[in-house]
Amino acid sequence: MQNSPQDYCSMERANTSLARTKSEQLAETLEAAFKSPMNSDGVSEGGSGGTLSGKSSKRLTTAASPGRTTSGGNKNIHIRKSRSAQMKFELDDVNSGAALSRASSASLGFSFSFTGFNMPPDEIADSMTFSDDDILVVTQSCFSAHCIIFHVQVTGVNGSLHSPISMVVAAEDLEAGMRKQKFQTEPSLPIYLKFRDLTYKVIIKGLTSTEEKDILNGISGSVDPGEVLALMGPSGSGKTTLLNLLGGRLNQPTVGGSITYNDGPYSKFLKSRIGFVTQDDILFPHLTVKETLTYAALLRLPQTLTKQQKQKRAMDVIHELGLERCQDTVIGGSFVRGVSGGERKRVCIGNEIIINPSILFLDEPTSGLDSTTALKTVQLLQDMAEGGKTVVTTIHQPSSRLFHKFDKLILLGKGSLLYFGKSSEAMLYFSSIGCNPLIAMNPAEFLLDLANGNINDVSVPSELEDKVQIGNSDAGKRNGKPSPAVVHEYLVEAYETRVAVKEKKKLMVPIPLDEEVKAKVSSLKRQWGASWWQQYNILFCRGIKERRHDYFSWLRITQVLSTAIILGLLWWNSDPNSLKGLQDQAGLLFFIAVFWGFFPVFTAIFTFPQERAMLSKERAADMYRLSAYFLARTTSDLPLDLVLPVLFLLVVYFMAGLRMSAAPFFLTMLTVFLCIIAAQGLGLAIGATLMDLKRATTLASVTVMTFMLAGGYFVKRVPVFVSWIRYMSFNYHTYNLLLKVQYKHMTPVLNGMRIDSGLTEVSALVAMVFGYRLLAYISLRRMKLCAQ
């Protein structure tokens, strides 16, 4: 016996108050959505809402405002509908006896599922004569945690009454209908990824010999657009290495086998079509979520889009990933509080999906996330795949819900392929070779146990037992069971004999794409998202925003100002007219040259080693040219580097009583600026050449100490065979230039040095500014930070 809507209502009234509260919110939401402005005649004003296309021209149009029973139970809601109906129901489906499945409205932006009616089928024909001018009256509505039920009375223009209708709206469909449209729905270039017999070796160099270690052994598989391929295996099985190979991040002579993209080799064009999310969250800690994604959009999206369109794309990604609440929060890091781990991971994913990639690689995107956040992340990947993208991800130990969301699965063990195929058929395959779980367990946990050679709580295949007994070796057993090495060998052999040949034959089938589409993938031309000048401007602004916190930290300001005050007190109103006072001021000038040579060197040393991971990641994605990055990185430091020296000189210069004239003051400031830029170039060169902070710091300490000793203050007569060192010292040239600025009007010779215009010293410092930076750029270019 079928229950009537009244029966549904009476049963649902017994639910808890919490459930009623939720339903009330849904009813209020629906009521607000249905309300339309009325004119004086009570007729709703027609909007521009869209309508659904259908097979029949006969429609039932509804525009009632749902909710609880109207106050007093006597006031009904009368609404006359115009052509711009807010909801339309196709009556062909109703006439065939089926419940209405879904009616949607472009003007409202949400959808409903109508799951029940109490109208007899033989009376449906009456409703098919409704016109768009008929009046609909919502006589009653009730709600619960699961549905909202409407009782609608339809009155014709001539006053005739049609048969009443009762409708049940599913609450979950109302909630689903209120969601925004999926972001990654726009088409992209389809890429079919195939790989066959992949091998990879690393060479381990010892003191006396070298050794080769196999990381991957004959891995084959494929993934098509619309599919999610999961790479599973225990730690050290080669998942990340395989992912890097497929993503074009490893290009070494020790790589064997073939990888094709639409039956073509890897090309530079693919860099702009591939998204790669690394396992580590590599982000700038002082940029906000919105700034991070906006800069990525400006650099990576094609030049055909305007700046406003790129910024809108960034906001679309923020909404799609659910990052609205933290969009103005800094990313954070080890010493900076910022967004949570799950939000940081979603920002990393957003950095890649913002370009609408054809193929997306992710290295353990769910590591460190709770089960709910991990499920949302994998659901996002599945939604992207449904939009025609190819998704490949490594996964460490997914839950059972996550496992069933993958389309294909590769199981690795010690670099060998244990299974490749549909994830839904993995358990059936291992059951066919005699490996079954003895207790109920997560399929992923069962597969990882097998990959590790752990067969506790797993049935041992008879073939494996016979193999161990025939071998009659104690080494093949452990606690009466086959050892992990024997289990691994059995699994590899089983796959090679039962599945591998069939799968390799599938890889030989050509992909269903035109030759023109295939040719695009093989293009050798890179596609930059911005011109060189645009890249420079974007990176310059990003650099200033990221590092302004470090340069203007209270610690650094206190360090500089306290040093300046101490110097001013020690050299308070020194008198250069006496010989003793002149020597004292010369010591102050030498200290200024040393301090502003030492300080920038050890600041610049950390530049490239600290940003190496970010540089590798962004350069691998072809976000910008190396020359644009280098110039923007070095020039964006200049405004920040020159603020503190100004404060320093304003304190020291006047407290110490140096030459009180405008020209000497500004010339002294320019000399210090030149020294800072030259010293900064040395730090950049050392850091870029070594890319190791410990070694770079050691080398810089020795170099700066040598330059200081050869600066001309401590030793006047330097032996000839080492006298060339002083000409490479920026301390030496800065000290001489400061002396000439201060005492040019007093004496033609000072400490054996002729006081001239200082053109030689200026030329030497300018040569150091460009020479050290050129060395740093060549070192970066030589480092092969990414696959070119």
Side-chain angles (χ1 to χ4, degrees), residues 31 65-77 138-141:
E31 182 178 1
S65 298
R68 289 164 290 183
T69 304
T70 53
S71 59
N74 299 323
K75 295 182 179 179
N76 296 327
I77 303 175
V138 179
T139 60
Q140 186 183 11
S141 63

Side-chain angles (χ1 to χ4, degrees), residues 547-586:
R547 291 183 295 279
R548 61 186 176 184
H549 306 278
D550 295 333
Y551 279 92
F552 299 123
S553 64
W554 284 108
L555 183 62
R556 180 169 294 196
I557 295 175
T558 303
Q559 178 186 10
V560 172
L561 289 182
S562 59
T563 302
I565 292 173
I566 292 173
L567 291 177
L569 293 176
L570 292 176
W571 273 271
W572 179 264
N573 285 334
S574 57
D575 183 14
N577 294 320
S578 64
L579 181 61
K580 186 177 180 180
L582 185 63
Q583 294 296 332
D584 288 344
Q585 279 196 359

Side-chain angles (χ1 to χ4, degrees), residues 14-15 70 161 170 213 287 309 382 569 595 630 702 746 763:
N15 288 341
T70 53
L161 295 178
K213 182 179 180 181
L287 294 181
Q309 290 174 324
Q382 193 178 44
L569 293 176
F595 181 77
F630 180 82
V702 175
M746 295 178 60
S763 302

